[in-house]
Amino acid sequence: MPTRRTILLALAALVTLLFFLTPRSLTPTNSLPKVPSFSDIKGKIPHFSYPNYGDKPSDTAAAASSSPTTSSGANSDPAISEASSDQIHIEDLNPAANSSSQLSSKARVGMVTMMFGDPDATYERALRTHQYHARRHGTPLFTLRKKILDVMYNKPMYILDLLLQEMKKPDHERMEWFFWFDADTVILNPSIPPSTFLPPRDFGNVHFLAAEDFNGLNAGVFFLRVSSWSIEVMSSVISYRTFRPNDALPFAEQTALEKVIHEDKYSEGKVFYPQRWFNAYSGATRMNETVQPWQLHRGDMMVHFAGVPDRQTRMDEYMDIFEKHMPEWEIEVKYTSYPSEMDEFWEDRRQNERQEKTHVKELEKEARKLLGEMGTKIIGAEGLNENDRSSIDQKMSELRDALDHGKSGQLETAIQSLKDSSSPLESLEQSSRKDALRKAHETIIEAQKLSEKYTALNSADSPSAGQISEVAQTLADEATKLRDYLIENSGKADDVKKETEALELSIKNFQEVWEPKATATGGSDQEDTNGGGSPTGQNWEANSGTAEASPSGQGSNPFGEGYGRGGLSGLEGLDSEITQASSWEDIGR
């Protein structure tokens, strides 16, 4: 019979055997999976490569960086890696899922920052909030750890290098956006993926997403599309001081970037979001505090401490909040206001773009009409001096360029500029118009005199008198036609000259062919009894245009009814009006 001691030993052996046979995990259930080292992910993510300014993060460096460092009393996360201070480092990644395919699909956005110089515990602690954020969403985090240029120009230099590295890859392998954040930013809600803020696919012309504050552009946080547009902009920012040394740059590379993106060539590629979305300034830390629209709200992704006094103390306060992972701060994106605000923002932009397209079409129509008019005017402007002509030609060329670009602001400016430069041409045209009008007026009076003189002839005076009278009436009709043209049309001076020349030709023909015949009949010897050139003593009513019977019974006005003051005086009275006239409608009214 087994003894008590034997039974106890058997039970102990059984418990030991069960302990070693039972599967178990030593990882706490509430911790995130271990961050893979560079060797774990090398070759599995084909869409990022390493710049040549420093050493690549080696397996040894990755292993060394896995040792947690505590800064400012912060609770270190052993899953968050840190880089040595003398290299450019791409932070190790930990996707939300362990699948490498999911990692690639989520890595549309690369997060970028820089941190070098003397170690700063506060900024290193802040960086760990971004590292946690990157791991949570499987997003590459690129960190410049070595100074290359002076002051803040390391930022555009580093971004430019990353852009070039990505653009060399096939389209399907490269990242689509970079998300830059300064070292004085802290993640508050890591549940918000950076891709939340990317524009809809139908806004492929948008390359730059940022926010403005009371100083204008704030370049502490922004999104930049991987594109040739972005390469050109970053190149321009880096070289700005060299090619524009006299331009004031109060905020260094930030001012240079602001100036570049507002140039016509790049202005359509920028979009400014509400500042609170991803570049909020510090706001409420307690539930009962009131915040401004530009300040951080609970559930917002991150906070920026730009120009904040006692910055480190304020940053530590918010990092304490982050490290507690409080549910009232870490809200899933679908439960925040971001989705509805983003939808409303981009729908408003779609509507504005539709209105802009309509406006541009109207401006293009106006521009083409103006160019046609100016082209015609400047060809016939013989008295225009060379300086004025050259200025108008230049403004016309600028308007054609604006038509090629199709931007409303540029079109409006070019249209107005051409109108302003054409004032000498308008003055010359006005002078030419008055000269043409005066000549037309004199020609009409001459035709009227001839018509009044010979319309009264009849067959009793001579067999040719009937024909002469008919031709004189035709001359009167032509003069009336020209008069009506002057009153009813705002034609160009050249058109009026042509109409006047036609009447002059009729007058010349009458004088050379018919007037000698009228003289032979004795018609020219008749006495002018009314002082207006009428051989029969006609006396037309001033307003009605009809005449009382003359001794010879001739009472009709050869220029028709409603001719102003009637007879010759109706045209001679226009002299003062010609001097003041600015358009044909002003004549004879």
Side-chain angles (χ1 to χ4, degrees), residues 291-311:
V291 295
Q292 299 297 327
W294 62 86
Q295 291 180 307
L296 181 76
H297 293 58
R298 290 174 185 268
D300 290 348
M301 185 177 75
M302 63 189 295
V303 60
H304 187 193
F305 297 90
V308 175
D310 196 16
R311 181 181 301 174

Side-chain angles (χ1 to χ4, degrees), residues 446-459 461-462 464-476 507 509-526 528 532-536 538 540 554 558-559:
E446 184 179 2
Q448 182 191 24
K449 287 180 178 180
L450 286 173
S451 176
E452 289 181 347
K453 184 174 182 180
Y454 296 107
T455 301
L457 293 179
N458 53 52
S459 57
D461 300 316
S462 170
S464 301
Q467 275 185 301
I468 296 172
S469 179
E470 289 178 4
V471 174
Q473 181 61 50
T474 301
L475 186 62
I507 292 173
N509 180 65
F510 186 89
Q511 290 173 332
E512 292 178 353
V513 176
W514 297 102
E515 194 168 24
K517 295 181 179 181
T519 302
T521 64
S524 60
D525 296 330
Q526 298 183 50
D528 185 352
S534 172
T536 57
Q538 300 176 60
W540 294 321
Q554 302 293 326
F559 283 84

Side-chain angles (χ1 to χ4, degrees), residues 264 367 370-371 390-407 409-419 421:
D264 289 339
L370 181 60
L371 285 171
S390 176
S391 175
I392 295 172
D393 285 339
Q394 179 182 350
K395 299 305 179 183
M396 291 176 68
S397 177
E398 291 174 0
L399 183 52
R400 293 188 190 98
D401 290 341
L403 276 170
D404 292 338
H405 289 87
K407 299 177 182 178
Q410 191 173 352
L411 281 168
E412 289 171 344
T413 300
I415 288 173
Q416 188 59 49
S417 181
L418 178 55
K419 289 180 178 179
S421 70

Side-chain angles (χ1 to χ4, degrees), residues 26-90:
L26 299 179
T27 304
T29 56
N30 61 346
S31 66
L32 289 170
K34 180 182 179 296
V35 177
S37 67
F38 172 69
S39 60
D40 293 329
I41 63 174
K42 185 176 182 181
K44 296 179 181 179
I45 310 174
H47 54 267
F48 68 76
S49 58
Y50 299 92
N52 297 321
Y53 297 111
D55 297 331
K56 298 178 182 180
S58 63
D59 296 346
T60 304
S65 68
S66 62
S67 302
T69 301
T70 302
S71 303
S72 304
N75 297 324
S76 299
D77 187 337
I80 299 177
S81 62
E82 297 175 2
S84 61
S85 60
D86 62 348
Q87 65 182 358
I88 293 177
H89 181 61
I90 299 180

Side-chain angles (χ1 to χ4, degrees), residues 149-396:
L149 299 177
D150 62 319
V151 293
M152 291 296 290
Y153 285 88
N154 289 280
K155 178 195 294 188
M157 180 280 303
Y158 186 39
I159 294 174
L160 176 60
D161 179 72
L162 294 174
L163 288 168
L164 291 171
Q165 294 289 335
E166 290 299 314
M167 287 293 287
K168 289 188 294 185
K169 302 173 186 177
D171 291 350
H172 67 279
E173 292 184 5
R174 69 175 66 139
M175 281 180 288
E176 297 183 37
W177 291 82
F178 283 123
F179 174 46
W180 174 272
F181 59 89
D182 280 356
D184 58 349
T185 59
V186 174
I187 292 293
L188 264 295
N189 185 1
S191 299
I192 308 296
S195 58
T196 299
F197 304 101
L198 300 184
R201 289 292 182 179
D202 55 324
F203 285 92
N205 62 329
V206 175
H207 299 266
F208 181 79
L209 302 168
E212 293 181 299
D213 59 15
F214 44 84
N215 286 319
L217 170 68
N218 183 286
V221 185
F222 59 84
F223 286 82
L224 193 65
R225 189 188 292 272
V226 177
S227 64
S228 57
W229 185 98
S230 300
I231 290 175
E232 290 183 19
V233 167
M234 289 297 111
S235 300
S236 300
V237 172
I238 295 170
S239 60
Y240 197 96
R241 296 175 297 174
T242 301
F243 295 102
R244 298 182 183 179
N246 297 324
D247 281 14
L249 300 174
F251 299 106
E253 101 298 341
Q254 176 172 282
T255 305
L257 176 58
E258 183 173 28
K259 289 176 177 289
V260 170
I261 63 174
H262 279 91
E263 292 182 357
D264 289 339
K265 183 177 181 180
Y266 304 113
S267 60
E268 286 191 351
K270 70 180 184 303
V271 168
F272 292 119
Y273 275 161
Q275 185 180 351
R276 198 206 87 238
W277 283 4
F278 56 71
N279 196 4
Y281 289 165
S282 57
T285 57
R286 293 179 292 275
M287 291 296 292
N288 59 348
E289 288 187 84
T290 302
V291 295
Q292 299 297 327
W294 62 86
Q295 291 180 307
L296 181 76
H297 293 58
R298 290 174 185 268
D300 290 348
M301 185 177 75
M302 63 189 295
V303 60
H304 187 193
F305 297 90
V308 175
D310 196 16
R311 181 181 301 174
Q312 292 183 337
T313 300
R314 289 292 286 169
M315 290 178 67
D316 285 337
E317 182 180 2
Y318 280 88
M319 287 186 287
D320 288 342
I321 294 175
F322 168 80
E323 289 163 0
K324 293 175 183 177
H325 298 292
M326 294 183 290
E328 62 266 30
W329 284 91
E330 297 190 3
I331 305 171
E332 290 186 45
V333 64
K334 62 182 178 181
Y335 297 121
T336 68
S337 61
Y338 282 135
S340 61
E341 290 180 14
M342 292 282 291
D343 288 344
E344 183 179 357
F345 179 90
W346 289 109
E347 184 54 40
D348 286 345
R349 192 168 182 86
R350 288 187 185 95
Q351 183 175 351
N352 292 338
E353 287 195 354
R354 287 192 291 267
Q355 294 174 350
E356 169 74 2
K357 288 180 180 179
T358 301
H359 185 42
V360 166
K361 288 182 179 179
E362 294 172 351
L363 290 172
E364 288 175 342
K365 182 178 180 180
E366 180 183 357
R368 292 189 178 94
K369 179 180 179 182
L370 181 60
L371 285 171
E373 292 175 350
M374 287 298 174
T376 302
K377 290 177 181 179
I378 201 169
I379 290 174
E382 298 177 357
L384 190 65
N385 66 60
E386 288 303 315
N387 289 337
D388 291 336
R389 186 182 296 274
S390 176
S391 175
I392 295 172
D393 285 339
Q394 179 182 350
K395 299 305 179 183
M396 291 176 68

